[in-house]
Amino acid sequence: MSAYSPYRKRRDSSSGINMTPLIDMVFILLIFFIVTTSFVKESGVDVERPVANSAERKENVSVVVGIDPSGNIWVDHKSIDIRSLRSWMERFMAETPEGVVVVAADTKTESGILIKVLDACREAEVKNISVAARKPQ
């Protein structure tokens, strides 16, 4: 019998697909998307923002403080009291020193509550505060 036989099966050690490069590529893409994604903490309430001709889009917003028409303050999908807003902002600034805060007040919100929210943010030494508005249509 010869060394080569047409009836003899060859054993090939590379009979499967190597998944290691594919898994490596998926992990690299996952890391890329996590690093480039900016995470915004939403207020948790929908408000009708007032119209302003000078309204500009703010980039790199870290947290949105929402004020609904009845004067309730919302941060991170939770209703909080005005007295605890300052301590919440102090914790936020300790975690994110370069944080940007946007206050989104409804058009029917009393201006006194908006001033109290801005004052609490300033007392917590938030450096970058904006009030949300929308451009006219």
Tab-separated table of all heavy atoms in Angstrom, residues 50-88:
chain	number	residue	atom	x	y	z
A	50	PRO	N	-38.794	78.434	26.703
A	50	PRO	CA	-39.158	79.727	26.109
A	50	PRO	C	-38.379	79.968	24.808
A	50	PRO	O	-37.340	79.360	24.567
A	50	PRO	CB	-38.754	80.740	27.186
A	50	PRO	CG	-37.853	80.018	28.113
A	50	PRO	CD	-38.116	78.565	27.972
A	51	VAL	N	-38.906	80.856	23.993
A	51	VAL	CA	-38.295	81.188	22.705
A	51	VAL	C	-37.343	82.359	22.890
A	51	VAL	O	-37.654	83.327	23.576
A	51	VAL	CB	-39.386	81.545	21.669
A	51	VAL	CG1	-38.765	81.958	20.356
A	51	VAL	CG2	-40.323	80.374	21.477
A	52	ALA	N	-36.151	82.247	22.272
A	52	ALA	CA	-35.177	83.339	22.302
A	52	ALA	C	-34.452	83.390	20.962
A	52	ALA	O	-34.028	82.356	20.441
A	52	ALA	CB	-34.171	83.145	23.429
A	53	ASN	N	-34.327	84.584	20.402
A	53	ASN	CA	-33.622	84.724	19.119
A	53	ASN	C	-32.143	84.407	19.245
A	53	ASN	O	-31.507	83.989	18.290
A	53	ASN	CB	-33.799	86.144	18.572
A	53	ASN	CG	-35.213	86.398	18.108
A	53	ASN	OD1	-35.889	85.486	17.641
A	53	ASN	ND2	-35.673	87.626	18.250
A	54	SER	N	-31.585	84.626	20.416
A	54	SER	CA	-30.150	84.418	20.617
A	54	SER	C	-29.814	83.011	21.123
A	54	SER	O	-28.681	82.762	21.526
A	54	SER	CB	-29.613	85.450	21.604
A	54	SER	OG	-30.254	85.281	22.851
A	55	ALA	N	-30.779	82.098	21.101
A	55	ALA	CA	-30.546	80.742	21.614
A	55	ALA	C	-29.498	80.032	20.770
A	55	ALA	O	-29.497	80.115	19.548
A	55	ALA	CB	-31.852	79.949	21.612
A	56	GLU	N	-28.581	79.355	21.453
A	56	GLU	CA	-27.516	78.587	20.798
A	56	GLU	C	-27.491	77.185	21.374
A	56	GLU	O	-27.829	76.979	22.537
A	56	GLU	CB	-26.151	79.244	21.029
A	56	GLU	CG	-26.005	80.603	20.429
A	56	GLU	CD	-24.650	81.219	20.749
A	56	GLU	OE1	-23.847	80.569	21.441
A	56	GLU	OE2	-24.423	82.348	20.322
A	57	ARG	N	-27.040	76.250	20.564
A	57	ARG	CA	-26.912	74.880	21.030
A	57	ARG	C	-25.670	74.758	21.894
A	57	ARG	O	-24.593	75.190	21.513
A	57	ARG	CB	-26.826	73.929	19.846
A	57	ARG	CG	-26.745	72.490	20.259
A	57	ARG	CD	-27.071	71.597	19.067
A	57	ARG	NE	-26.963	70.217	19.408
A	57	ARG	CZ	-27.899	69.516	20.038
A	57	ARG	NH1	-29.008	70.114	20.386
A	57	ARG	NH2	-27.736	68.247	20.315
A	58	LYS	N	-25.823	74.173	23.069
A	58	LYS	CA	-24.724	74.009	24.014
A	58	LYS	C	-24.170	72.596	23.888
A	58	LYS	O	-24.916	71.624	23.974
A	58	LYS	CB	-25.242	74.257	25.435
A	58	LYS	CG	-24.190	74.344	26.470
A	58	LYS	CD	-23.648	75.725	26.529
A	58	LYS	CE	-22.775	75.872	27.741
A	58	LYS	NZ	-22.085	77.117	27.764
A	59	GLU	N	-22.889	72.469	23.685
A	59	GLU	CA	-22.238	71.167	23.573
A	59	GLU	C	-21.683	70.757	24.940
A	59	GLU	O	-21.445	71.586	25.799
A	59	GLU	CB	-21.100	71.220	22.550
A	59	GLU	CG	-21.555	71.573	21.150
A	59	GLU	CD	-22.479	70.549	20.539
A	59	GLU	OE1	-22.339	69.348	20.829
A	59	GLU	OE2	-23.373	70.946	19.768
A	60	ASN	N	-21.493	69.485	25.137
A	60	ASN	CA	-20.884	68.918	26.335
A	60	ASN	C	-21.654	69.239	27.613
A	60	ASN	O	-21.070	69.605	28.628
A	60	ASN	CB	-19.427	69.367	26.472
A	60	ASN	CG	-18.594	68.961	25.281
A	60	ASN	OD1	-18.822	67.908	24.692
A	60	ASN	ND2	-17.648	69.786	24.912
A	61	VAL	N	-22.962	69.121	27.547
A	61	VAL	CA	-23.789	69.337	28.732
A	61	VAL	C	-23.663	68.116	29.634
A	61	VAL	O	-23.802	66.983	29.195
A	61	VAL	CB	-25.267	69.560	28.336
A	61	VAL	CG1	-26.141	69.662	29.568
A	61	VAL	CG2	-25.392	70.796	27.467
A	62	SER	N	-23.390	68.341	30.916
A	62	SER	CA	-23.220	67.243	31.861
A	62	SER	C	-24.510	66.894	32.583
A	62	SER	O	-24.797	65.731	32.816
A	62	SER	CB	-22.152	67.597	32.889
A	62	SER	OG	-20.937	67.849	32.247
A	63	VAL	N	-25.286	67.903	32.973
A	63	VAL	CA	-26.523	67.653	33.717
A	63	VAL	C	-27.557	68.711	33.341
A	63	VAL	O	-27.214	69.863	33.085
A	63	VAL	CB	-26.272	67.623	35.243
A	63	VAL	CG1	-25.915	68.975	35.781
A	63	VAL	CG2	-27.458	67.060	35.978
A	64	VAL	N	-28.816	68.275	33.285
A	64	VAL	CA	-29.921	69.183	32.992
A	64	VAL	C	-30.831	69.217	34.217
A	64	VAL	O	-31.260	68.178	34.711
A	64	VAL	CB	-30.715	68.715	31.752
A	64	VAL	CG1	-31.899	69.636	31.500
A	64	VAL	CG2	-29.821	68.647	30.528
A	65	VAL	N	-31.094	70.424	34.713
A	65	VAL	CA	-32.022	70.621	35.821
A	65	VAL	C	-33.326	71.112	35.208
A	65	VAL	O	-33.355	72.161	34.567
A	65	VAL	CB	-31.482	71.654	36.836
A	65	VAL	CG1	-32.481	71.875	37.956
A	65	VAL	CG2	-30.147	71.215	37.382
A	66	GLY	N	-34.387	70.338	35.376
A	66	GLY	CA	-35.671	70.699	34.803
A	66	GLY	C	-36.598	71.290	35.847
A	66	GLY	O	-36.613	70.857	36.998
A	67	ILE	N	-37.367	72.294	35.429
A	67	ILE	CA	-38.378	72.901	36.301
A	67	ILE	C	-39.702	72.834	35.553
A	67	ILE	O	-39.846	73.437	34.493
A	67	ILE	CB	-38.037	74.362	36.660
A	67	ILE	CG1	-36.617	74.467	37.214
A	67	ILE	CG2	-39.045	74.908	37.658
A	67	ILE	CD1	-36.144	75.885	37.411
A	68	ASP	N	-40.658	72.091	36.100
A	68	ASP	CA	-41.948	71.942	35.425
A	68	ASP	C	-42.856	73.135	35.736
A	68	ASP	O	-42.518	73.982	36.575
A	68	ASP	CB	-42.597	70.597	35.770
A	68	ASP	CG	-42.981	70.443	37.229
A	68	ASP	OD1	-42.951	71.437	37.972
A	68	ASP	OD2	-43.306	69.321	37.629
A	69	PRO	N	-44.003	73.240	35.062
A	69	PRO	CA	-44.876	74.408	35.262
A	69	PRO	C	-45.354	74.608	36.699
A	69	PRO	O	-45.605	75.740	37.116
A	69	PRO	CB	-46.077	74.122	34.346
A	69	PRO	CG	-45.574	73.170	33.331
A	69	PRO	CD	-44.504	72.368	34.001
A	70	SER	N	-45.444	73.533	37.471
A	70	SER	CA	-45.903	73.684	38.859
A	70	SER	C	-44.761	74.020	39.820
A	70	SER	O	-44.984	74.157	41.019
A	70	SER	CB	-46.618	72.422	39.318
A	70	SER	OG	-45.761	71.312	39.241
A	71	GLY	N	-43.538	74.145	39.321
A	71	GLY	CA	-42.412	74.553	40.155
A	71	GLY	C	-41.607	73.415	40.736
A	71	GLY	O	-40.698	73.647	41.532
A	72	ASN	N	-41.894	72.178	40.364
A	72	ASN	CA	-41.111	71.031	40.844
A	72	ASN	C	-39.778	70.980	40.107
A	72	ASN	O	-39.717	71.216	38.904
A	72	ASN	CB	-41.873	69.721	40.623
A	72	ASN	CG	-43.153	69.670	41.420
A	72	ASN	OD1	-43.206	70.147	42.543
A	72	ASN	ND2	-44.187	69.110	40.829
A	73	ILE	N	-38.724	70.642	40.838
A	73	ILE	CA	-37.368	70.590	40.280
A	73	ILE	C	-37.009	69.132	40.050
A	73	ILE	O	-37.170	68.303	40.946
A	73	ILE	CB	-36.370	71.276	41.227
A	73	ILE	CG1	-36.783	72.731	41.428
A	73	ILE	CG2	-34.957	71.169	40.695
A	73	ILE	CD1	-36.101	73.404	42.570
A	74	TRP	N	-36.501	68.850	38.853
A	74	TRP	CA	-36.161	67.481	38.460
A	74	TRP	C	-34.698	67.407	38.051
A	74	TRP	O	-34.232	68.222	37.251
A	74	TRP	CB	-37.023	67.039	37.288
A	74	TRP	CG	-38.466	66.908	37.616
A	74	TRP	CD1	-39.396	67.912	37.676
A	74	TRP	CD2	-39.147	65.711	37.960
A	74	TRP	NE1	-40.611	67.405	38.030
A	74	TRP	CE2	-40.492	66.056	38.201
A	74	TRP	CE3	-38.752	64.385	38.069
A	74	TRP	CZ2	-41.439	65.116	38.555
A	74	TRP	CZ3	-39.702	63.455	38.412
A	74	TRP	CH2	-41.025	63.809	38.655
A	75	VAL	N	-33.996	66.441	38.628
A	75	VAL	CA	-32.614	66.167	38.253
A	75	VAL	C	-32.452	64.654	38.187
A	75	VAL	O	-32.816	63.955	39.141
A	75	VAL	CB	-31.603	66.764	39.269
A	75	VAL	CG1	-30.183	66.447	38.852
A	75	VAL	CG2	-31.789	68.250	39.408
A	76	ASP	N	-31.920	64.177	37.101
A	76	ASP	CA	-31.633	62.745	36.941
A	76	ASP	C	-32.888	61.888	37.178
A	76	ASP	O	-32.846	60.901	37.899
A	76	ASP	CB	-30.504	62.339	37.886
A	76	ASP	CG	-29.838	61.044	37.475
A	76	ASP	OD1	-29.980	60.646	36.313
A	76	ASP	OD2	-29.176	60.424	38.329
A	77	HIS	N	-33.998	62.302	36.578
A	77	HIS	CA	-35.285	61.602	36.650
A	77	HIS	C	-35.860	61.519	38.061
A	77	HIS	O	-36.673	60.661	38.340
A	77	HIS	CB	-35.182	60.195	36.047
A	77	HIS	CG	-34.800	60.204	34.613
A	77	HIS	ND1	-35.702	60.452	33.612
A	77	HIS	CD2	-33.605	60.019	34.000
A	77	HIS	CE1	-35.091	60.399	32.449
A	77	HIS	NE2	-33.822	60.148	32.662
A	78	LYS	N	-35.421	62.406	38.958
A	78	LYS	CA	-35.939	62.424	40.321
A	78	LYS	C	-36.371	63.840	40.672
A	78	LYS	O	-35.670	64.799	40.363
A	78	LYS	CB	-34.866	61.973	41.318
A	78	LYS	CG	-34.429	60.551	41.161
A	78	LYS	CD	-33.307	60.238	42.134
A	78	LYS	CE	-32.567	59.012	41.652
A	78	LYS	NZ	-31.189	59.002	42.005
A	79	SER	N	-37.495	63.935	41.340
A	79	SER	CA	-37.940	65.227	41.836
A	79	SER	C	-37.198	65.520	43.139
A	79	SER	O	-37.173	64.689	44.041
A	79	SER	CB	-39.450	65.194	42.084
A	79	SER	OG	-39.877	66.421	42.617
A	80	ILE	N	-36.561	66.692	43.210
A	80	ILE	CA	-35.818	67.042	44.422
A	80	ILE	C	-36.304	68.393	44.937
A	80	ILE	O	-36.848	69.208	44.198
A	80	ILE	CB	-34.294	67.060	44.201
A	80	ILE	CG1	-33.892	68.109	43.175
A	80	ILE	CG2	-33.781	65.716	43.783
A	80	ILE	CD1	-32.402	68.298	43.090
A	81	ASP	N	-36.090	68.606	46.212
A	81	ASP	CA	-36.476	69.841	46.860
A	81	ASP	C	-35.420	70.907	46.590
A	81	ASP	O	-34.236	70.600	46.451
A	81	ASP	CB	-36.632	69.589	48.368
A	81	ASP	CG	-37.252	70.767	49.081
A	81	ASP	OD1	-38.249	71.305	48.585
A	81	ASP	OD2	-36.724	71.138	50.152
A	82	ILE	N	-35.851	72.165	46.554
A	82	ILE	CA	-34.916	73.263	46.308
A	82	ILE	C	-33.844	73.335	47.390
A	82	ILE	O	-32.708	73.702	47.116
A	82	ILE	CB	-35.672	74.613	46.182
A	82	ILE	CG1	-34.739	75.746	45.741
A	82	ILE	CG2	-36.374	74.968	47.474
A	82	ILE	CD1	-34.208	75.617	44.366
A	83	ARG	N	-34.183	72.906	48.625
A	83	ARG	CA	-33.204	72.953	49.722
A	83	ARG	C	-32.094	71.924	49.552
A	83	ARG	O	-31.002	72.097	50.085
A	83	ARG	CB	-33.908	72.765	51.058
A	83	ARG	CG	-34.874	73.908	51.383
A	83	ARG	CD	-35.673	73.587	52.587
A	83	ARG	NE	-36.564	72.468	52.238
A	83	ARG	CZ	-37.723	72.234	52.791
A	83	ARG	NH1	-38.153	73.007	53.755
A	83	ARG	NH2	-38.467	71.231	52.415
A	84	SER	N	-32.351	70.848	48.833
A	84	SER	CA	-31.322	69.822	48.640
A	84	SER	C	-30.590	69.972	47.311
A	84	SER	O	-29.661	69.221	47.029
A	84	SER	CB	-31.939	68.429	48.738
A	84	SER	OG	-32.894	68.243	47.719
A	85	LEU	N	-30.998	70.945	46.495
A	85	LEU	CA	-30.342	71.130	45.190
A	85	LEU	C	-28.888	71.547	45.344
A	85	LEU	O	-28.027	71.064	44.613
A	85	LEU	CB	-31.112	72.158	44.359
A	85	LEU	CG	-30.555	72.426	42.962
A	85	LEU	CD1	-30.605	71.159	42.118
A	85	LEU	CD2	-31.314	73.544	42.282
A	86	ARG	N	-28.602	72.424	46.300
A	86	ARG	CA	-27.219	72.881	46.480
A	86	ARG	C	-26.295	71.715	46.826
A	86	ARG	O	-25.225	71.570	46.236
A	86	ARG	CB	-27.150	73.937	47.576
A	86	ARG	CG	-25.745	74.407	47.826
A	86	ARG	CD	-25.677	75.449	48.901
A	86	ARG	NE	-24.295	75.789	49.178
A	86	ARG	CZ	-23.927	76.674	50.068
A	86	ARG	NH1	-24.840	77.328	50.757
A	86	ARG	NH2	-22.663	76.917	50.273
A	87	SER	N	-26.700	70.836	47.771
A	87	SER	CA	-25.841	69.703	48.131
A	87	SER	C	-25.712	68.723	46.961
A	87	SER	O	-24.647	68.140	46.764
A	87	SER	CB	-26.382	68.996	49.373
A	87	SER	OG	-27.652	68.452	49.118
A	88	TRP	N	-26.787	68.566	46.167
A	88	TRP	CA	-26.712	67.694	44.989
A	88	TRP	C	-25.698	68.252	43.999
A	88	TRP	O	-24.885	67.514	43.438
A	88	TRP	CB	-28.093	67.577	44.339
A	88	TRP	CG	-28.196	66.434	43.380
A	88	TRP	CD1	-28.690	65.198	43.638
A	88	TRP	CD2	-27.769	66.414	42.017
A	88	TRP	NE1	-28.600	64.412	42.518
A	88	TRP	CE2	-28.039	65.128	41.505
A	88	TRP	CE3	-27.180	67.345	41.166
A	88	TRP	CZ2	-27.750	64.759	40.197
A	88	TRP	CZ3	-26.884	66.979	39.868
A	88	TRP	CH2	-27.159	65.708	39.386
